[in-house]
Amino acid sequence: MTEVIDTEQTERARTYRSTPTTEMVTDNTLIAITKWKYVWKNGGGGNSTCDFAQLKAYATDEHIRLLISKFQQSGWRETSKSANFRYIRQVLSRAFNTQSGKQKVKVQLSPETCTQYIHAAYLSMASTGVGLNGKPIKAKTLGWLSSNLNSICKKFGFGTIPKAARNLDTRSASLDSNNYTPKQLRSIAFALLADRKALLARYQDESLPEAQRRTAFNRLVYNAMFITIYYLGTGRTETLSMFLDDEWVCKKSGAGRISIEGFKARGNKVEQRSFTPRASCKRFFESHLSLSKAHSVSLGLDKHYLFRKANGMVPNSNNFNNYSQNYLVNYSERIQLLIKENPDFRLNCNLLKSSIKQYAEQKLGRSKAAENTRNAPQTYDNSKYGKVSKGEARSQLALGLTALHNLGKNPDGGTVIAVAQAKEAVGLVISHEEWEVLKEAAAEYGVVKNQNGGFCKGANTPQKKEFQKNVDKSDFLSDEEKSQLGCGFVVKCFGCSNFGVVDDPHDIWRLLSFEQRLNEAMVVHQNVEHFITNFGEVKANLNKLKARFKKVHLKAAMKLLERECHPLWDENSVMDIFRG
């Protein structure tokens, strides 16, 4: 059945909907922006005047108002706003002034104008040795600036700069990093805690002049910021913005750790923070939070801010650099020793954060470390703390290439089987008590400990038969000597059913010493393919074995390795491995 449509009613509806009303008309919020000049704190702690009216020479008023609104919504600290304003002015100035012809068109901030600026700066650096401003610039610095411009465009919703256009010798593809070693991290922690104790005693000495006590208090704040980064793995900006509304909550979470709740930080909005650091940091936080609480109250602040100087100001980068690279160097023997061992050593916030996060990755794994340090996996991978040491890189490379090797031999088996074969470890892991029982029960087979850190059950296996065949070919040994030899395949043990490891720190130390020599052997091999052919599966098996030890025993063995390599694995004992 066909319905009758009232055309007059339909036309009226269309007419009504096309008629604007006061409720349907909205104001352009960008036109309402009338403030063009802003005064923001710069990185040096001083005031920096940022006049957006200067950009009128290069861009339209509408685009400048859009930039101002983006700055207001960015959530940046004043130091970031001041620096980013200068970068944007440089990009717009360059894009406008390089136009050909007398009639120049106003430009806009975009990935395209940023790319043009980056390439112009790179060409200037490559041809003249200086940047567009006439000052010397390194490719690494230019790469950092390119990454910063990309972040600005992305935050403003203008798109992203292609990575190929901004990846200028920034070492982002490097497997190695310049992070602190675990030994350096411990020295840094001891130096900071010792200095805190001395500063606290100085600040509490009421016989000192007020000026000296204020200086001691300021240094306590700088010191506390470094220690907080060491314990929590936070960045400097996040750390400095921390505050407490109410009392903080601290409770045990097991495995020698505590759970801290109550910290807040300012970004685009106030966000709650929770941490699970080592329990050893509880005493520090109780001391510092008590001090910072009393200081916030004395200043009449609306919040309990954790890091404020005696005058109530937020510390700046110059304060921290002066504390860590001048004051601490002069008064801390541990820092002086680190500089003596490595003249390039410097203590700074970013490198400390990076090292702590890399250490977390080694202990907890990549995904767990990214989660615990409140980073997206992509951010974690792209940052310096996503890099690994050379030794760990070789280990991962060996595992990955071995999986590809197994996949090539069995393409129909799928990648899952290839990875499983690469990670397969035949060796047993037993306790010391089980080892004693095994020795007595299998004495007829000649159960003995091997040089590589494991033990051999002595049964006839293909590996043992292969070794005996090689021994029989020797003209230098008598028949009696040949009969007394068991198996000498130190490397092939890890794929043999006879092989096992005692879960004991001393035996694990021998195993880790063997692995360290194996890592060093990779450097002198003909190429990576040759190394993988010889030792790829050994490296994969070693990784699997280490995951099966008790953490306490593995940690004790790692401490022994840090002091020295096991005497059985001196340079003379590994010539066969180093021949490549």
Side-chain angles (χ1 to χ4, degrees):
M1 179 178 179
T2 304
E3 296 182 358
V4 179
I5 301 176
D6 188 347
T7 56
E8 182 179 357
Q9 183 177 357
T10 304
E11 289 178 359
R12 286 178 182 174
R14 287 175 182 170
T15 303
Y16 172 78
R17 283 197 295 267
S18 64
T19 303
T21 64
T22 55
E23 291 81 5
M24 297 173 65
V25 177
T26 58
D27 294 330
N28 186 345
T29 56
L30 293 180
I31 298 178
I33 295 177
T34 57
K35 184 179 178 181
W36 297 82
K37 184 181 294 186
Y38 298 83
V39 178
W40 292 319
K41 293 286 184 182
N42 56 35
N47 291 330
S48 178
T49 301
C50 300
D51 190 356
F52 283 85
Q54 296 175 354
L55 304 182
K56 290 186 176 183
Y58 319 118
T60 62
D61 288 3
E62 182 181 2
H63 186 66
I64 296 172
R65 288 192 178 97
L66 176 62
L67 293 178
I68 294 174
S69 70
K70 296 294 185 182
F71 267 81
Q72 292 174 344
Q73 300 168 21
S74 65
W76 287 329
R77 291 169 59 88
E78 290 191 0
T79 53
S80 298
K81 290 180 179 179
S82 175
N84 291 339
F85 173 79
R86 294 196 307 271
Y87 301 147
I88 292 174
R89 183 177 58 192
Q90 293 170 6
V91 171
L92 295 179
S93 173
R94 176 72 186 180
F96 181 82
N97 292 325
T98 54
Q99 294 183 55
S100 59
K102 296 182 179 180
Q103 195 70 22
K104 296 182 179 180
V105 181
K106 296 293 180 72
V107 296
Q108 294 184 354
L109 180 70
S110 66
E112 290 74 22
T113 53
C114 289
T115 301
Q116 294 170 6
Y117 179 83
I118 294 167
H119 287 181
Y122 183 80
L123 292 174
S124 176
M125 178 201 67
S127 58
T128 64
V130 297
L132 297 176
N133 58 0
K135 298 180 180 179
I137 186 173
K138 297 179 181 179
K140 187 176 180 181
T141 304
L142 182 56
W144 172 85
L145 175 60
S146 305
S147 177
N148 199 44
L149 289 174
N150 178 66
S151 299
I152 294 173
C153 289
K154 188 176 181 180
K155 179 175 280 290
F156 285 5
F158 296 160
T160 59
I161 304 173
K163 192 170 185 179
R166 55 185 168 87
N167 192 15
L168 304 172
D169 193 26
T170 58
R171 296 185 63 191
S172 62
S174 175
L175 287 172
D176 192 22
S177 71
N178 58 348
N179 287 337
Y180 302 128
T181 64
K183 180 181 178 181
Q184 288 175 326
L185 282 174
R186 284 194 296 272
S187 296
I188 290 170
F190 285 133
L192 291 172
L193 291 172
D195 186 54
R196 178 170 186 80
K197 184 177 180 180
L199 288 172
L200 200 57
R202 188 172 179 81
Y203 171 68
Q204 293 173 346
D205 185 357
E206 297 183 358
S207 64
L208 290 177
E210 185 63 23
Q212 293 185 19
R213 293 188 65 216
R214 289 171 66 89
T215 300
F217 180 86
N218 287 340
R219 286 172 178 164
L220 273 173
V221 173
Y222 312 150
N223 170 280
M225 201 274 303
F226 278 104
I227 296 179
T228 302
I229 293 176
Y230 177 85
Y231 281 130
L232 304 184
T234 51
R236 191 183 75 182
T237 301
E238 178 187 4
T239 306
L240 290 178
S241 67
M242 285 182 179
F243 65 94
L244 293 172
D245 269 338
D246 303 310
E247 294 298 323
W248 64 305
V249 177
C250 176
K251 55 187 177 181
K252 292 183 179 180
S253 61
R257 292 188 171 270
I258 57 175
S259 175
I260 300 179
E261 299 177 359
F263 286 172
K264 296 183 179 180
R266 296 183 186 275
N268 293 330
K269 58 181 180 180
V270 175
E271 297 180 356
Q272 190 84 17
R273 296 282 195 262
S274 60
F275 304 94
T276 55
R278 294 180 180 274
S280 57
C281 72
K282 183 179 179 181
R283 185 176 178 181
F284 158 73
F285 280 112
E286 288 175 342
S287 170
H288 178 66
L289 294 182
S290 174
L291 186 69
S292 59
K293 175 70 173 180
H295 184 55
S296 296
V297 171
S298 67
L299 292 174
L301 301 178
D302 59 336
K303 300 284 193 304
H304 172 190
Y305 291 98
L306 275 60
F307 306 98
R308 290 293 186 272
K309 295 193 293 185
N311 60 4
M313 302 294 290
V314 179
N316 57 54
S317 56
N318 289 343
N319 298 143
F320 295 120
N321 290 338
N322 185 57
Y323 170 78
S324 63
Q325 299 177 21
N326 292 322
Y327 165 78
L328 205 58
V329 171
N330 293 330
Y331 290 94
S332 174
E333 294 182 358
R334 287 189 173 91
I335 298 297
Q336 292 169 5
L337 182 59
L338 289 176
I339 295 175
K340 184 178 180 180
E341 294 174 351
N342 178 17
D344 294 331
F345 175 85
R346 295 292 184 276
L347 174 59
N348 63 65
C349 305
N350 289 334
L351 199 53
L352 183 60
K353 175 194 71 172
S354 170
S355 303
I356 292 299
K357 293 193 174 185
Q358 179 182 313
Y359 186 77
E361 177 194 346
Q362 293 173 348
K363 294 294 182 183
L364 305 174
R366 179 167 297 249
S367 59
K368 192 71 174 178
E371 176 186 347
N372 281 17
T373 52
R374 302 165 312 286
N375 285 114
Q378 182 180 2
T379 303
Y380 193 86
D381 290 338
N382 290 340
S383 302
K384 185 181 290 292
Y385 42 81
K387 310 299 185 291
V388 296
S389 64
K390 287 182 179 179
E392 183 66 18
R394 292 169 188 149
S395 176
Q396 294 180 9
L397 184 63
L399 178 61
L401 292 181
T402 304
L404 291 177
H405 175 69
N406 289 322
L407 180 60
K409 292 195 299 185
N410 183 24
D412 297 330
T415 56
V416 175
I417 294 178
V419 173
Q421 289 174 339
K423 288 186 174 181
E424 184 182 11
V426 181
L428 302 174
V429 176
I430 63 176
S431 66
H432 183 75
E433 292 75 16
E434 291 171 329
W435 160 248
E436 295 296 336
V437 174
L438 180 64
K439 276 198 307 182
E440 295 179 5
E444 67 274 12
Y445 293 112
V447 180
V448 294
K449 288 190 176 181
N450 297 335
Q451 187 178 358
N452 56 19
F455 64 84
C456 178
K457 290 183 287 188
N460 284 325
T461 61
Q463 290 83 1
K464 184 175 181 180
K465 292 177 181 178
E466 182 184 352
F467 179 75
Q468 288 292 343
K469 288 181 181 179
N470 292 338
V471 170
D472 290 338
K473 297 176 183 178
S474 174
D475 298 329
F476 300 99
L477 299 174
S478 65
D479 292 339
E480 183 179 356
E481 290 172 333
K482 292 178 182 179
S483 63
Q484 293 175 354
L485 290 176
C487 179
F489 278 144
V490 177
V491 174
K492 290 191 177 182
C493 287
F494 300 95
C496 178
S497 58
N498 274 332
F499 181 71
V501 181
V502 181
D503 195 353
D504 177 81
H506 195 273
D507 285 2
I508 300 173
W509 176 32
R510 282 191 290 128
L511 184 74
L512 296 180
S513 299
F514 166 76
E515 183 186 28
Q516 180 170 307
R517 295 302 188 192
L518 199 63
N519 287 339
E520 295 169 359
M522 185 175 181
V523 179
V524 297
H525 262 71
Q526 296 174 2
N527 50 48
V528 174
E529 182 181 359
H530 188 228
F531 179 85
I532 294 302
T533 302
N534 290 331
F535 306 119
E537 293 191 19
V538 176
K539 288 289 300 180
N541 290 339
L542 282 169
N543 287 337
K544 187 66 175 179
L545 277 172
K546 287 190 294 184
R548 295 157 64 185
F549 295 135
K550 288 184 178 179
K551 292 183 179 180
V552 176
H553 293 168
L554 181 60
K555 186 176 181 180
M558 292 173 67
K559 288 184 177 180
L560 290 172
L561 183 63
E562 287 178 7
R563 296 173 189 168
E564 61 174 342
C565 204
H566 195 281
L568 287 175
W569 287 107
D570 57 15
E571 286 77 4
N572 296 326
S573 65
V574 291
M575 291 308 296
D576 290 340
I577 297 178
F578 280 98
R579 283 172 186 165

